[in-house]
DNA sequence: CATAAACGAACGTTCGTTCGGTTTTTTACA
DNA sequence: TGTAAAAAACCGAACGAACGTTCGTTTATG
Protein backbone atom coordinates (compact mmCIF):
# COMPACT_ATOMS: atom_id res chain seq x y z
CA UNK A 1 0.00 0.00 0.00
CA UNK A 2 1.21 3.47 -0.89
CA UNK A 3 1.08 6.27 1.62
CA UNK A 4 -0.89 8.61 -0.59
CA UNK A 5 -3.51 5.96 -1.20
CA UNK A 6 -3.81 5.48 2.53
CA UNK A 7 -4.12 9.17 3.22
CA UNK A 8 -6.97 9.53 0.77
CA UNK A 9 -8.73 6.37 1.90
CA UNK A 10 -9.31 7.66 5.43
CA UNK A 11 -11.34 10.70 6.21
CA UNK A 12 -9.14 12.42 8.75
CA UNK A 13 -9.00 16.15 8.12
CA UNK A 14 -8.70 18.47 11.08
CA UNK A 15 -12.36 19.33 10.64
CA UNK A 16 -13.39 15.68 10.73
CA UNK A 17 -11.49 15.05 13.91
CA UNK A 18 -12.77 18.22 15.53
CA UNK A 19 -16.33 17.30 14.64
CA UNK A 20 -15.93 13.90 16.27
CA UNK A 21 -14.36 15.49 19.29
CA UNK A 22 -17.22 17.95 19.54
CA UNK A 23 -19.79 15.17 19.39
CA UNK A 24 -17.88 13.28 22.07
CA UNK A 25 -17.85 16.30 24.41
CA UNK A 26 -21.17 17.95 23.58
CA UNK A 27 -22.03 18.45 27.24
CA UNK A 28 -18.80 20.16 28.22
CA UNK A 29 -18.50 22.53 25.26
CA UNK A 30 -20.70 25.57 25.68
CA UNK A 31 -20.94 26.61 22.03
CA UNK A 32 -24.24 25.70 20.43
CA UNK A 33 -23.68 25.93 16.71
CA UNK A 34 -21.62 23.11 15.24
CA UNK A 35 -20.10 25.16 12.46
CA UNK A 36 -18.73 27.77 14.85
CA UNK A 37 -17.61 25.18 17.37
CA UNK A 38 -15.76 23.06 14.81
CA UNK A 39 -14.01 26.07 13.28
CA UNK A 40 -12.65 27.20 16.62
CA UNK A 41 -11.86 23.72 17.88
CA UNK A 42 -9.61 23.31 14.86
CA UNK A 43 -7.82 26.51 15.81
CA UNK A 44 -7.51 25.49 19.45
CA UNK A 45 -6.22 22.00 18.70
CA UNK A 46 -3.79 23.26 16.08
CA UNK A 47 -2.41 25.80 18.51
CA UNK A 48 -2.30 23.43 21.48
CA UNK A 49 -0.46 20.74 19.52
CA UNK A 50 1.97 23.25 18.02
CA UNK A 51 2.87 24.96 21.28
CA UNK A 52 2.64 21.80 23.34
CA UNK A 53 4.97 19.88 21.05
CA UNK A 54 7.40 22.78 20.86
CA UNK A 55 7.84 23.41 24.55
CA UNK A 56 5.73 20.96 26.45
CA UNK A 57 2.13 21.17 27.55
CA UNK A 58 2.99 22.19 31.10
CA UNK A 59 5.03 25.13 29.84
CA UNK A 60 2.26 26.30 27.53
CA UNK A 61 0.24 29.01 29.22
CA UNK A 62 -3.38 29.53 28.28
CA UNK A 63 -2.36 33.04 27.24
CA UNK A 64 0.04 31.49 24.72
CA UNK A 65 -2.78 29.31 23.53
CA UNK A 66 -5.25 32.17 23.45
CA UNK A 67 -3.06 34.35 21.25
CA UNK A 68 -1.93 31.52 18.97
CA UNK A 69 -5.53 30.47 18.40
CA UNK A 70 -6.76 34.06 18.03
CA UNK A 71 -9.32 33.68 20.77
CA UNK A 72 -9.71 35.56 24.01
CA UNK A 73 -9.27 33.88 27.35
CA UNK A 74 -13.00 33.99 27.87
CA UNK A 75 -13.78 32.41 24.51
CA UNK A 76 -11.26 29.66 25.19
CA UNK A 77 -13.16 28.68 28.28
CA UNK A 78 -16.33 28.21 26.28
CA UNK A 79 -14.57 25.29 24.55
CA UNK A 80 -12.61 23.77 27.39
CA UNK A 81 -13.43 23.71 31.06
CA UNK A 82 -9.84 23.46 32.25
CA UNK A 83 -6.32 23.08 30.97
CA UNK A 84 -6.13 19.54 32.26
CA UNK A 85 -9.29 18.61 30.42
CA UNK A 86 -7.85 19.89 27.16
CA UNK A 87 -4.92 17.54 27.64
CA UNK A 88 -7.25 14.65 28.26
CA UNK A 89 -9.48 15.53 25.31
CA UNK A 90 -6.62 15.55 22.84
CA UNK A 91 -5.32 12.19 23.97
CA UNK A 92 -8.73 10.56 24.08
CA UNK A 93 -9.58 11.64 20.57
CA UNK A 94 -6.28 10.31 19.27
CA UNK A 95 -6.88 6.92 20.79
CA UNK A 96 -10.36 6.63 19.33
CA UNK A 97 -9.02 7.26 15.82
CA UNK A 98 -6.20 4.75 16.17
CA UNK A 99 -8.44 1.92 17.31
CA UNK A 100 -10.98 2.65 14.59
CA UNK A 101 -8.49 2.86 11.72
CA UNK A 102 -6.49 -0.19 12.82
CA UNK A 103 -9.57 -2.39 13.14
CA UNK A 104 -11.02 -1.28 9.82
CA UNK A 105 -7.76 -1.86 7.98
CA UNK A 106 -7.04 -5.31 9.34
CA UNK A 107 -10.43 -6.97 9.16
CA UNK A 108 -10.57 -9.48 6.32
CA UNK A 109 -6.85 -10.15 6.03
CA UNK A 110 -6.00 -13.71 7.02
CA UNK A 111 -2.54 -14.53 5.74
CA UNK A 112 -0.25 -13.78 8.73
CA UNK A 113 2.70 -12.23 6.89
CA UNK A 114 0.38 -10.05 4.85
CA UNK A 115 -1.56 -9.06 7.95
CA UNK A 116 1.58 -8.21 9.89
CA UNK A 117 2.88 -6.13 7.01
CA UNK A 118 -0.41 -4.27 6.73
CA UNK A 119 -0.62 -3.65 10.47
CA UNK A 120 2.87 -2.14 10.46
CA UNK A 121 2.14 0.03 7.44
CA UNK A 122 -1.23 1.25 8.66
CA UNK A 123 0.09 2.18 12.08
CA UNK A 124 3.06 3.93 10.54
CA UNK A 125 1.03 5.81 7.95
CA UNK A 126 -1.53 6.81 10.52
CA UNK A 127 1.18 8.18 12.78
CA UNK A 128 2.44 10.17 9.81
CA UNK A 129 -0.95 11.69 9.06
CA UNK A 130 -1.50 12.51 12.72
CA UNK A 131 2.09 13.11 13.74
CA UNK A 132 1.45 16.01 16.12
CA UNK A 133 -1.20 13.92 17.89
CA UNK A 134 1.03 10.89 18.29
CA UNK A 135 4.01 12.90 19.45
CA UNK A 136 1.89 14.85 21.90
CA UNK A 137 0.24 11.75 23.32
CA UNK A 138 3.56 10.04 23.85
CA UNK A 139 5.28 12.95 25.53
CA UNK A 140 2.43 14.11 27.71
CA UNK A 141 1.15 10.79 29.02
CA UNK A 142 2.74 11.20 32.40
CA UNK A 143 1.12 14.60 32.93
CA UNK A 144 -2.34 13.12 32.73
CA UNK A 145 -4.51 12.73 35.84
CA UNK A 146 -4.58 9.23 37.33
CA UNK A 147 -7.50 7.80 35.45
CA UNK A 148 -6.59 9.19 32.06
CA UNK A 149 -3.05 7.95 32.60
CA UNK A 150 -4.33 4.44 33.15
CA UNK A 151 -6.33 4.62 29.94
CA UNK A 152 -3.29 5.75 27.97
CA UNK A 153 -1.32 2.74 29.21
CA UNK A 154 -4.16 0.38 28.37
CA UNK A 155 -4.20 1.81 24.88
CA UNK A 156 -0.46 1.23 24.44
CA UNK A 157 -0.93 -2.37 25.47
CA UNK A 158 -3.95 -2.78 23.22
CA UNK A 159 -2.16 -1.82 20.01
CA UNK A 160 0.81 -3.92 21.07
CA UNK A 161 -1.62 -6.77 21.57
CA UNK A 162 -2.79 -6.48 17.95
CA UNK A 163 0.74 -7.18 16.75
CA UNK A 164 1.26 -9.95 19.28
CA UNK A 165 -1.90 -11.74 18.17
CA UNK A 166 -0.93 -11.63 14.52
CA UNK A 167 2.43 -13.15 15.40
CA UNK A 168 0.83 -15.86 17.51
CA UNK A 169 -1.57 -16.73 14.70
CA UNK A 170 1.36 -16.97 12.29
CA UNK A 171 3.21 -19.29 14.65
CA UNK A 172 0.14 -21.48 15.06
CA UNK A 173 -0.19 -21.75 11.28
CA UNK A 174 3.45 -22.70 10.98
CA UNK A 175 4.31 -19.66 8.84
CA UNK A 176 6.35 -17.91 11.52
CA UNK A 177 9.23 -19.23 13.61
CA UNK A 178 8.76 -19.80 17.31
CA UNK A 179 9.57 -16.41 18.82
CA UNK A 180 8.40 -14.45 21.85
CA UNK A 181 5.28 -12.78 20.42
CA UNK A 182 4.89 -10.20 23.18
CA UNK A 183 8.50 -9.07 23.05
CA UNK A 184 8.47 -9.02 19.25
CA UNK A 185 5.37 -6.87 19.31
CA UNK A 186 6.95 -4.52 21.85
CA UNK A 187 9.96 -3.95 19.63
CA UNK A 188 7.81 -3.40 16.56
CA UNK A 189 5.97 -0.71 18.51
CA UNK A 190 9.26 0.83 19.61
CA UNK A 191 10.40 1.14 16.00
CA UNK A 192 7.05 2.47 14.87
CA UNK A 193 7.22 5.11 17.57
CA UNK A 194 10.66 6.25 16.56
CA UNK A 195 9.21 7.47 13.30
CA UNK A 196 7.00 10.09 14.89
CA UNK A 197 9.20 10.80 17.89
CA UNK A 198 12.33 11.58 15.84
CA UNK A 199 10.74 13.07 12.78
CA UNK A 200 13.41 15.76 12.59
CA UNK A 201 16.03 13.05 12.04
CA UNK A 202 14.31 11.23 9.21
CA UNK A 203 13.21 14.44 7.56
CA UNK A 204 16.77 15.71 7.58
CA UNK A 205 17.96 12.49 5.92
CA UNK A 206 15.12 12.52 3.44
CA UNK A 207 13.85 9.11 4.49
CA UNK A 208 10.25 8.79 3.33
CA UNK A 209 7.57 7.08 5.33
CA UNK A 210 7.34 4.38 2.67
CA UNK A 211 11.06 3.65 2.83
CA UNK A 212 10.88 3.46 6.59
CA UNK A 213 7.93 1.10 6.41
CA UNK A 214 9.62 -1.18 3.91
CA UNK A 215 12.78 -1.32 5.97
CA UNK A 216 10.85 -2.14 9.10
CA UNK A 217 8.82 -4.88 7.40
CA UNK A 218 12.01 -6.37 5.94
CA UNK A 219 13.71 -6.40 9.32
CA UNK A 220 10.80 -8.03 11.10
CA UNK A 221 10.02 -10.61 8.41
CA UNK A 222 13.65 -11.63 8.09
CA UNK A 223 13.55 -12.41 11.78
CA UNK A 224 10.16 -14.02 11.99
CA UNK A 225 9.65 -15.96 8.75
CA UNK A 226 10.61 -19.61 8.55
CA UNK A 227 14.01 -19.86 6.91
CA UNK A 228 14.64 -22.01 3.84
CA UNK B 1 28.64 -10.27 29.26
CA UNK B 2 26.40 -10.50 32.29
CA UNK B 3 24.66 -7.43 33.65
CA UNK B 4 25.98 -7.83 37.17
CA UNK B 5 29.54 -8.07 35.87
CA UNK B 6 28.98 -4.87 33.96
CA UNK B 7 27.52 -3.05 36.92
CA UNK B 8 30.50 -3.88 39.08
CA UNK B 9 33.04 -3.12 36.37
CA UNK B 10 32.05 0.53 36.13
CA UNK B 11 32.29 2.90 39.04
CA UNK B 12 29.00 4.75 38.77
CA UNK B 13 27.50 5.27 42.20
CA UNK B 14 25.46 8.38 42.84
CA UNK B 15 28.39 9.78 44.81
CA UNK B 16 30.80 9.20 41.93
CA UNK B 17 28.55 10.98 39.49
CA UNK B 18 27.88 13.84 41.88
CA UNK B 19 31.60 14.26 42.49
CA UNK B 20 32.26 14.50 38.76
CA UNK B 21 29.41 16.92 38.38
CA UNK B 22 30.79 19.04 41.21
CA UNK B 23 34.23 19.15 39.61
CA UNK B 24 32.66 20.12 36.30
CA UNK B 25 30.72 23.01 37.87
CA UNK B 26 33.10 24.14 40.60
CA UNK B 27 32.66 27.81 39.69
CA UNK B 28 28.88 27.82 39.80
CA UNK B 29 28.41 25.86 43.03
CA UNK B 30 28.92 28.04 46.09
CA UNK B 31 29.67 25.30 48.63
CA UNK B 32 33.36 25.01 49.51
CA UNK B 33 33.75 21.63 51.18
CA UNK B 34 33.56 18.70 48.77
CA UNK B 35 32.11 16.27 51.28
CA UNK B 36 29.20 18.55 52.09
CA UNK B 37 28.63 19.50 48.46
CA UNK B 38 28.62 15.90 47.21
CA UNK B 39 26.25 14.76 49.95
CA UNK B 40 23.70 17.42 49.08
CA UNK B 41 24.14 17.12 45.33
CA UNK B 42 23.20 13.47 45.64
CA UNK B 43 20.04 14.49 47.47
CA UNK B 44 19.23 17.20 44.93
CA UNK B 45 19.79 14.98 41.90
CA UNK B 46 17.86 12.10 43.43
CA UNK B 47 14.95 14.37 44.17
CA UNK B 48 15.05 16.16 40.81
CA UNK B 49 15.11 12.91 38.84
CA UNK B 50 12.37 11.37 40.96
CA UNK B 51 9.99 14.31 40.78
CA UNK B 52 10.96 15.23 37.21
CA UNK B 53 10.35 11.72 35.92
CA UNK B 54 7.09 11.43 37.82
CA UNK B 55 5.45 14.60 36.65
CA UNK B 56 7.78 16.39 34.30
CA UNK B 57 10.51 18.89 35.02
CA UNK B 58 8.36 21.88 34.11
CA UNK B 59 5.71 20.84 36.61
CA UNK B 60 8.25 20.36 39.39
CA UNK B 61 8.40 23.47 41.53
CA UNK B 62 11.57 24.31 43.40
CA UNK B 63 9.49 24.03 46.56
CA UNK B 64 8.74 20.41 45.64
CA UNK B 65 12.43 19.89 45.08
CA UNK B 66 13.36 21.69 48.27
CA UNK B 67 11.12 19.56 50.45
CA UNK B 68 11.97 16.27 48.72
CA UNK B 69 15.69 16.96 49.08
CA UNK B 70 15.30 18.23 52.65
CA UNK B 71 16.96 21.53 51.87
CA UNK B 72 15.62 25.04 52.20
CA UNK B 73 15.03 27.22 49.17
CA UNK B 74 18.09 29.24 50.10
CA UNK B 75 20.31 26.21 50.43
CA UNK B 76 19.14 24.92 47.06
CA UNK B 77 20.37 28.08 45.41
CA UNK B 78 23.85 27.52 46.80
CA UNK B 79 24.05 24.45 44.55
CA UNK B 80 22.24 25.60 41.45
CA UNK B 81 21.99 29.08 40.00
CA UNK B 82 18.65 28.55 38.28
CA UNK B 83 16.12 25.86 37.55
CA UNK B 84 17.08 25.84 33.88
CA UNK B 85 20.72 25.30 34.76
CA UNK B 86 19.82 22.28 36.87
CA UNK B 87 18.11 20.77 33.83
CA UNK B 88 21.18 21.41 31.74
CA UNK B 89 23.55 20.06 34.39
CA UNK B 90 21.73 16.75 34.68
CA UNK B 91 21.70 16.19 30.93
CA UNK B 92 25.30 17.21 30.44
CA UNK B 93 26.55 14.85 33.12
CA UNK B 94 24.58 11.98 31.62
CA UNK B 95 26.10 12.53 28.20
CA UNK B 96 29.64 12.61 29.56
CA UNK B 97 29.16 9.25 31.23
CA UNK B 98 27.65 7.63 28.13
CA UNK B 99 30.47 8.68 25.83
CA UNK B 100 33.11 7.60 28.34
CA UNK B 101 31.65 4.17 29.04
CA UNK B 102 30.86 3.40 25.38
CA UNK B 103 34.35 4.28 24.21
CA UNK B 104 36.05 2.34 26.99
CA UNK B 105 33.97 -0.76 26.38
CA UNK B 106 34.41 -0.90 22.61
CA UNK B 107 38.10 -0.19 22.21
CA UNK B 108 40.02 -3.31 21.30
CA UNK B 109 37.15 -5.28 19.82
CA UNK B 110 37.61 -5.83 16.09
CA UNK B 111 35.29 -8.61 14.98
CA UNK B 112 32.18 -6.76 13.72
CA UNK B 113 29.47 -9.10 15.02
CA UNK B 114 31.14 -9.24 18.40
CA UNK B 115 31.56 -5.48 18.46
CA UNK B 116 27.95 -4.85 17.50
CA UNK B 117 26.76 -7.24 20.17
CA UNK B 118 28.91 -5.57 22.79
CA UNK B 119 27.81 -2.10 21.79
CA UNK B 120 24.17 -3.07 22.14
CA UNK B 121 24.72 -4.74 25.48
CA UNK B 122 26.82 -1.93 26.94
CA UNK B 123 24.36 0.75 25.91
CA UNK B 124 21.48 -1.28 27.26
CA UNK B 125 23.16 -2.11 30.56
CA UNK B 126 24.27 1.47 31.02
CA UNK B 127 20.74 2.69 30.48
CA UNK B 128 19.63 0.21 33.12
CA UNK B 129 22.15 1.42 35.69
CA UNK B 130 21.29 5.05 34.98
CA UNK B 131 17.64 4.61 34.07
CA UNK B 132 16.36 7.82 35.70
CA UNK B 133 19.05 9.79 33.88
CA UNK B 134 18.26 8.30 30.49
CA UNK B 135 14.53 8.69 30.89
CA UNK B 136 14.91 12.23 32.10
CA UNK B 137 17.24 13.20 29.27
CA UNK B 138 14.92 11.78 26.65
CA UNK B 139 11.75 13.39 27.96
CA UNK B 140 13.17 16.78 28.80
CA UNK B 141 15.30 17.48 25.75
CA UNK B 142 12.83 19.85 24.20
CA UNK B 143 12.69 21.98 27.35
CA UNK B 144 16.37 22.79 27.13
CA UNK B 145 17.56 26.25 26.07
CA UNK B 146 18.67 26.53 22.44
CA UNK B 147 22.32 25.68 22.81
CA UNK B 148 21.86 22.81 25.20
CA UNK B 149 19.15 21.43 22.95
CA UNK B 150 21.55 21.38 20.04
CA UNK B 151 24.10 19.49 22.13
CA UNK B 152 21.51 16.90 23.09
CA UNK B 153 20.70 16.25 19.45
CA UNK B 154 24.37 15.99 18.55
CA UNK B 155 24.76 13.42 21.29
CA UNK B 156 21.86 11.34 19.94
CA UNK B 157 23.49 11.35 16.53
CA UNK B 158 26.88 10.53 17.97
CA UNK B 159 25.79 7.32 19.68
CA UNK B 160 23.80 6.38 16.60
CA UNK B 161 26.97 6.96 14.61
CA UNK B 162 28.84 4.41 16.72
CA UNK B 163 26.39 1.71 15.67
CA UNK B 164 26.39 2.84 12.05
CA UNK B 165 30.19 2.66 11.87
CA UNK B 166 30.30 -0.85 13.27
CA UNK B 167 27.77 -1.94 10.65
CA UNK B 168 29.70 -0.26 7.84
CA UNK B 169 32.90 -1.96 8.98
CA UNK B 170 31.13 -5.31 8.98
CA UNK B 171 29.83 -4.72 5.47
CA UNK B 172 33.29 -3.77 4.26
CA UNK B 173 34.74 -6.94 5.74
CA UNK B 174 32.04 -9.01 4.06
CA UNK B 175 30.64 -10.30 7.34
CA UNK B 176 27.41 -8.31 7.13
CA UNK B 177 24.87 -8.09 4.33
CA UNK B 178 24.49 -4.89 2.36
CA UNK B 179 21.99 -2.90 4.42
CA UNK B 180 21.35 0.76 5.12
CA UNK B 181 23.76 1.32 8.02
CA UNK B 182 22.26 4.62 9.16
CA UNK B 183 18.70 3.35 9.21
CA UNK B 184 19.75 0.11 10.89
CA UNK B 185 21.54 2.09 13.56
CA UNK B 186 18.51 4.32 14.05
CA UNK B 187 16.27 1.34 14.68
CA UNK B 188 18.74 -0.24 17.05
CA UNK B 189 18.70 2.98 19.05
CA UNK B 190 14.91 3.05 18.99
CA UNK B 191 14.77 -0.43 20.48
CA UNK B 192 17.44 0.38 23.05
CA UNK B 193 15.47 3.41 24.10
CA UNK B 194 12.28 1.46 24.57
CA UNK B 195 13.92 -0.39 27.43
CA UNK B 196 14.33 2.68 29.60
CA UNK B 197 11.30 4.55 28.32
CA UNK B 198 8.84 1.72 29.03
CA UNK B 199 10.41 0.19 32.06
CA UNK B 200 7.05 -0.27 33.73
CA UNK B 201 6.04 -2.64 30.91
CA UNK B 202 9.07 -4.91 31.03
CA UNK B 203 9.14 -4.91 34.80
CA UNK B 204 5.51 -6.00 34.92
CA UNK B 205 6.28 -8.85 32.52
CA UNK B 206 9.42 -9.84 34.40
CA UNK B 207 11.63 -9.41 31.35
CA UNK B 208 15.21 -9.03 32.57
CA UNK B 209 17.69 -6.68 30.98
CA UNK B 210 19.74 -9.68 29.86
CA UNK B 211 16.77 -11.30 28.14
CA UNK B 212 15.96 -8.05 26.41
CA UNK B 213 19.55 -7.68 25.26
CA UNK B 214 19.71 -11.22 23.90
CA UNK B 215 16.47 -10.79 22.03
CA UNK B 216 17.63 -7.53 20.53
CA UNK B 217 20.98 -8.97 19.43
CA UNK B 218 19.22 -12.00 17.92
CA UNK B 219 16.83 -9.82 15.97
CA UNK B 220 19.55 -7.57 14.60
CA UNK B 221 22.02 -10.32 13.76
CA UNK B 222 19.38 -12.39 12.01
CA UNK B 223 18.79 -9.42 9.76
CA UNK B 224 22.33 -8.32 9.23
CA UNK B 225 24.47 -11.47 9.11
CA UNK B 226 25.21 -13.13 5.79
CA UNK B 227 22.84 -16.05 5.33
CA UNK B 228 24.08 -19.56 4.70
C1' DC C 1 35.33 33.76 66.91
C1' DA C 2 35.44 33.61 62.00
C1' DT C 3 33.83 31.34 58.14
C1' DA C 4 30.65 28.28 55.84
C1' DA C 5 26.18 26.64 55.25
C1' DA C 6 21.33 26.71 55.81
C1' DC C 7 17.20 29.08 56.53
C1' DG C 8 12.59 30.98 55.13
C1' DA C 9 9.97 35.21 54.56
C1' DA C 10 9.33 38.43 50.97
C1' DC C 11 9.40 40.22 46.02
C1' DG C 12 7.72 40.82 41.49
C1' DT C 13 5.70 37.83 37.84
C1' DT C 14 2.94 34.74 35.76
C1' DC C 15 -0.34 31.24 36.14
C1' DG C 16 -5.30 29.12 35.58
C1' DT C 17 -9.74 30.66 36.02
C1' DT C 18 -13.84 33.74 36.45
C1' DC C 19 -17.29 37.06 35.20
C1' DG C 20 -19.71 41.39 34.01
C1' DG C 21 -20.03 43.68 29.96
C1' DT C 22 -19.88 44.13 24.67
C1' DT C 23 -20.38 42.59 20.03
C1' DT C 24 -22.25 39.51 16.65
C1' DT C 25 -25.67 36.46 14.94
C1' DT C 26 -30.21 34.57 14.80
C1' DT C 27 -35.06 34.90 15.44
C1' DA C 28 -39.67 36.95 15.24
C1' DC C 29 -42.76 39.84 13.51
C1' DA C 30 -44.19 43.87 10.42
C1' DT D 1 -37.46 42.86 3.23
C1' DG D 2 -36.45 45.69 7.34
C1' DT D 3 -35.82 45.91 12.19
C1' DA D 4 -36.02 45.24 17.08
C1' DA D 5 -35.65 41.87 20.60
C1' DA D 6 -33.36 37.65 22.13
C1' DA D 7 -29.75 34.49 22.09
C1' DA D 8 -25.10 33.20 21.27
C1' DA D 9 -20.39 34.13 21.19
C1' DC D 10 -16.64 36.77 22.49
C1' DC D 11 -13.88 39.91 25.16
C1' DG D 12 -10.24 41.23 28.58
C1' DA D 13 -9.59 43.11 33.13
C1' DA D 14 -9.40 41.19 37.66
C1' DC D 15 -8.42 37.56 41.36
C1' DG D 16 -5.91 34.69 44.37
C1' DA D 17 -2.57 31.11 44.21
C1' DA D 18 1.83 29.57 42.99
C1' DC D 19 6.01 30.34 40.65
C1' DG D 20 11.43 31.28 40.43
C1' DT D 21 14.56 33.96 42.76
C1' DT D 22 16.76 36.96 46.38
C1' DC D 23 18.67 38.32 50.71
C1' DG D 24 19.08 39.60 55.63
C1' DT D 25 19.45 36.60 59.32
C1' DT D 26 20.40 32.42 62.05
C1' DT D 27 22.73 28.11 62.90
C1' DA D 28 26.60 24.93 62.51
C1' DT D 29 31.50 23.95 62.05
C1' DG D 30 36.37 23.79 63.11
Amino acid sequence: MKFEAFRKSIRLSKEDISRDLLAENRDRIKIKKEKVAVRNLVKILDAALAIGNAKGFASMSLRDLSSEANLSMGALYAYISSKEELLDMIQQQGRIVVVKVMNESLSGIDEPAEKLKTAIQVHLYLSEVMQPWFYFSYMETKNLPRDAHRKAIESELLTEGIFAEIIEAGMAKGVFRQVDPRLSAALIKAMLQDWYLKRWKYERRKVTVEQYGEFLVDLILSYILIRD
Side-chain angles (χ1 to χ4, degrees), chain A residues 45-225:
Chain A
L45 292 172
D46 265 0
L49 288 171
I51 305 172
N53 285 343
K55 59 172 174 172
F57 187 77
S59 300
M60 175 193 78
S61 77
L62 292 185
R63 284 169 184 79
D64 291 343
L65 183 61
S66 152
S67 79
E68 180 78 13
N70 274 113
L71 283 170
S72 68
M73 295 295 296
L76 213 51
Y77 269 83
Y79 295 87
I80 59 168
S81 54
S82 77
K83 192 187 177 190
E84 194 178 67
E85 200 218 56
L86 172 61
L87 178 61
D88 192 17
M89 247 171 51
I90 295 175
Q91 297 235 18
Q92 205 177 316
Q93 196 55 30
R95 286 198 299 271
I96 291 173
V97 173
V98 172
V99 171
K100 210 182 79 181
V101 172
M102 286 293 283
N103 282 340
E104 279 174 8
S105 306
L106 293 178
S107 75
I109 306 180
D110 280 329
E111 205 286 301
E114 184 61 26
K115 189 160 191 173
L116 185 57
K117 181 178 174 177
T118 305
I120 290 173
Q121 280 181 335
V122 167
H123 196 284
L124 185 68
Y125 290 172
L126 184 56
S127 76
E128 173 71 5
V129 174
M130 297 182 62
Q131 197 268 347
W133 243 279
F134 275 69
Y135 186 86
F136 184 90
S137 295
Y138 193 99
M139 298 304 274
E140 303 297 342
T141 296
K142 71 155 153 297
N143 300 332
L144 288 166
R146 283 187 57 71
D147 236 51
H149 187 256
R150 199 178 36 74
K151 276 185 189 163
I153 285 183
E154 273 170 20
S155 163
E156 152 93 17
L157 296 177
L158 185 125
T159 43
E160 192 193 274
I162 294 177
F163 290 103
E165 278 168 23
I166 298 173
I167 293 170
E168 275 171 348
M171 283 163 53
K173 278 196 179 177
V175 197
F176 293 164
R177 290 172 52 221
Q178 294 295 317
V179 298
D180 184 330
R182 206 74 206 181
L183 205 41
S184 305
L187 292 197
I188 290 172
K189 273 222 83 179
M191 292 186 283
L192 285 170
Q193 284 167 340
D194 208 54
W195 175 257
Y196 59 82
L197 292 173
K198 309 258 180 65
R199 214 194 208 207
W200 56 272
K201 196 163 78 176
Y202 299 112
E203 218 158 57
R204 188 193 286 190
R205 292 182 192 156
K206 303 194 194 307
V207 179
T208 69
V209 66
E210 281 164 6
Q211 287 169 343
Y212 192 88
E214 268 178 46
F215 190 93
L216 186 44
V217 168
D218 262 15
L219 174 63
I220 294 301
L221 290 184
S222 87
Y223 174 69
I224 216 171
L225 281 181

Side-chain angles (χ1 to χ4, degrees), chain A residues 3-90:
Chain A
F3 173 63
E4 269 310 316
F6 172 83
R7 187 211 288 275
K8 280 170 192 159
S9 79
I10 52 167
R11 250 186 10 116
L12 274 185
S13 71
K14 290 166 186 174
E15 283 75 17
D16 295 326
I17 295 176
S18 291
R19 199 165 3 252
D20 286 355
L21 193 144
L22 173 62
E24 202 79 32
N25 297 277
R26 249 286 159 237
D27 47 335
R28 292 191 274 191
I29 294 172
K30 299 194 182 88
I31 272 44
K32 303 277 172 77
K33 286 155 55 185
E34 173 172 302
K35 220 170 104 183
V36 178
V38 168
R39 168 171 35 94
N40 285 329
L41 274 176
V42 169
K43 292 203 288 182
I44 291 171
L45 292 172
D46 265 0
L49 288 171
I51 305 172
N53 285 343
K55 59 172 174 172
F57 187 77
S59 300
M60 175 193 78
S61 77
L62 292 185
R63 284 169 184 79
D64 291 343
L65 183 61
S66 152
S67 79
E68 180 78 13
N70 274 113
L71 283 170
S72 68
M73 295 295 296
L76 213 51
Y77 269 83
Y79 295 87
I80 59 168
S81 54
S82 77
K83 192 187 177 190
E84 194 178 67
E85 200 218 56
L86 172 61
L87 178 61
D88 192 17
M89 247 171 51
I90 295 175

